[in-house]
Amino acid sequence: MIFVTVGTHEQPFNRLVKKIDKLKETGVITEDVIIQTGFSTYEPKYCQWSKLYPYQEMVKMVADARIVITHGGPSSFIMPLQIGKIPIVVPRRKKFNEHVNDHQLEFANAVAERQGNIIVADDINKISDMIVNYDSIVSSMPASLQSNNVKFNENLEKIVQRLFL
């Protein structure tokens, strides 16, 4: 299953919702797709969808999904990372009236460059290749990505062990 979320920003993100619906219609996507459409005005015809889902239901859908596709809002792509998923991030763009500026694009690119743990689709036309080749893209990403919490706890444990030796 593929889960798509556009967040709760009040501007529509029809560009992403339409693109995913078209990929499902044409058979590029063969698995089930669930879309949280938010304030988008386009209603998908080939995917299951709802404007909003309760948070715990979204967490379950993210956990169950093979691929998570999200807009560039930090909360929307951090949650899949916390669950162990590598999300495809499609930033909202000012030029399409999806947001007030291009901060999502700038932030997503900075996270991808610095952390290497998200796939940024800055060109919506590349998303079909990203979906089709998702497993190989993810397998070529750094396998040793760890959260700072894990690193901190490992270092703290070493310090505590040295204190008691």
Side-chain angles (χ1 to χ4, degrees), residues 30-79:
T30 56
E31 59 202 293
D32 291 339
V33 178
I34 301 172
I35 305 174
Q36 177 267 317
T37 62
F39 288 93
S40 300
T41 55
Y42 176 80
E43 295 183 354
K45 297 167 186 57
Y46 303 94
C47 304
Q48 180 182 332
W49 66 277
S50 179
K51 288 199 170 290
L52 300 169
Y53 288 101
Y55 182 76
Q56 290 305 323
E57 192 173 337
M58 283 188 61
V59 170
K60 181 174 178 0
M61 287 187 278
V62 167
D64 292 346
R66 183 177 74 85
I67 299 174
V68 177
I69 301 170
T70 176
H71 71 121
S75 294
S76 291
F77 68 76
I78 288 172
M79 189 251 285

Side-chain angles (χ1 to χ4, degrees), residues 2 6 11 41 66 77 80 101 103 129 146 148 150 156 165:
I2 295 175
V6 303
Q11 289 172 277
T41 55
R66 183 177 74 85
F77 68 76
N101 58 32
H103 73 277
D129 289 336
Q146 294 186 41
N148 285 330
V150 171
L156 180 61
L165 292 179

Side-chain angles (χ1 to χ4, degrees), residues 81 84 86 111-119 136-146 151:
L81 290 170
I86 302 293
V111 169
E113 185 178 316
R114 184 172 179 173
Q115 301 296 323
N117 59 356
I118 63 173
I119 303 163
S136 63
I137 293 168
V138 169
S139 68
S140 70
M141 295 174 83
S144 62
L145 293 173
Q146 294 186 41
K151 292 176 189 176

Side-chain angles (χ1 to χ4, degrees), residues 19-33:
K19 183 67 172 183
I20 297 299
D21 202 38
K22 187 70 172 173
L23 293 174
K24 180 67 177 165
E25 175 192 14
T26 60
V28 172
I29 297 174
T30 56
E31 59 202 293
D32 291 339
V33 178

